[in-house]
Amino acid sequence: GQQLNQSPQSMFIQEGEDVSMNCTSSSIFNTWLWYKQEPGEGPVLLIALYKAGELTSNGRLTAQFGITRKDSFLNISASIPSDVGIYFCAGQSREFYFGTGTSLTVIP
Amino acid sequence: ETGVTQTPRHLVMGMTNKKSLKCEQHLGHNAMYWYKQSAKKPLELMFVYNFKEQTENNSVPSRFSPECPNSSHLFLHLHTLQPEDSALYLCASSQDRGYVYNEQFFGPGTRLTVL
């Protein structure tokens, strides 16, 4: 299947710092999605992007759909302890393809 | 609360047991999915149903058997599983596989351990 390269694999940051993570693919997608998963729970949808170049915010989260349609990034500003979790990107063409996740640890 | 529920949340079974996982969505969606999530791996799509019809079976072993009696309910029947089948099994739903705005909403998962 298609591979989504998500980086970094893990991040350890101080509370209050900004976070940036991204996903790249060799294929074009029509939709990019970002999810957060906390221990023992399923992924929760954070942001959905539908157009190349689209920039969308959800509170302290901002995500962009890359112009080439082959990449997307997610930024979290002023991180707080409850931001801890694993963040997944997903790209959709006909099917959904998921990245391997970025594990975020926020140190108070 | 995503509108997708799964039961049980945890399941421990022997290799000779038969058990079933249940998923229910309250979102009025028409597509439902089963995924397997193992540590350090991307989500693996197992089965897809759209309007109760199975549209995808990603080379899943026959010891996993899905059932979709209606658009709101999805089951995964398990029998003679192997220890390597231990994982988090996630159910998801979306509006319609052919729809442009087709975000998937996930349930909390069933943590399965095969002894």
Side-chain angles (χ1 to χ4, degrees):
Chain A
Q2 295 191 34
Q3 287 270 4
L4 291 191
N5 300 306
Q6 186 172 349
S7 65
Q9 278 193 320
S10 61
M11 302 182 77
F12 293 82
I13 61 167
Q14 290 289 135
E15 182 177 359
E17 288 185 0
D18 295 345
V19 172
S20 186
M21 60 190 79
N22 68 80
C23 268
T24 59
S25 170
S26 56
S27 302
I28 289 172
F29 288 115
N30 299 320
T31 304
W32 280 96
L33 305 169
W34 284 93
Y35 290 87
K36 178 187 178 186
Q37 186 174 21
E38 297 186 22
E41 299 296 329
V44 174
L45 182 65
L46 299 174
I47 293 180
L49 303 158
Y50 300 105
K51 291 182 189 175
E54 180 180 354
L55 186 72
T56 297
S57 293
N58 178 5
R60 293 177 296 105
L61 277 60
T62 302
Q64 185 158 29
F65 193 140
I67 288 290
T68 65
R69 295 169 61 192
K70 293 182 179 180
D71 62 338
S72 178
F73 72 74
L74 175 71
N75 286 344
I76 305 173
S77 63
S79 59
I80 59 178
S82 62
D83 290 333
V84 163
I86 300 178
Y87 292 79
F88 290 97
C89 62
Q92 183 195 9
S93 46
R94 180 176 173 271
E95 297 296 347
F96 283 89
Y97 299 90
F98 289 85
T100 49
T102 295
S103 175
L104 178 63
T105 301
V106 180
I107 303 164
Chain B
E1 180 59 52
T2 62
V4 182
T5 58
Q6 288 186 245
T7 55
R9 294 293 309 273
H10 300 272
L11 178 62
V12 179
M13 58 188 288
M15 289 192 284
T16 57
N17 291 159
K18 287 185 182 181
K19 297 285 184 183
S20 295
L21 310 185
K22 179 183 175 182
C23 176
E24 183 173 1
Q25 58 94 1
H26 309 275
L27 301 168
H29 288 165
N30 296 301
M32 296 188 78
Y33 310 76
W34 279 117
Y35 286 91
K36 177 182 179 183
Q37 187 177 38
S38 305
K40 309 287 186 189
K41 285 183 167 183
L43 285 170
E44 297 174 51
L45 180 64
M46 299 175 73
F47 300 105
V48 182
Y49 280 82
N50 205 41
F51 291 91
K52 299 190 296 177
E53 297 295 321
Q54 186 175 319
T55 59
E56 199 86 22
N57 175 345
N58 267 4
S59 304
V60 180
S62 60
R63 57 185 184 269
F64 294 92
S65 173
E67 179 190 0
C68 187
N70 55 61
S71 291
S72 298
H73 293 86
L74 185 64
F75 295 89
L76 188 61
H77 304 299
L78 316 170
H79 63 98
T80 58
L81 293 193
Q82 305 297 313
E84 60 265 29
D85 296 323
S86 299
L88 183 68
Y89 288 84
L90 290 163
C91 172
S93 72
S94 69
Q95 182 64 42
D96 175 347
R97 289 195 75 207
Y99 192 55
V100 172
Y101 303 105
N102 197 32
E103 307 94 332
Q104 290 189 9
F105 293 85
F106 286 85
T110 295
R111 172 65 63 186
L112 174 67
T113 303
V114 182
L115 300 176

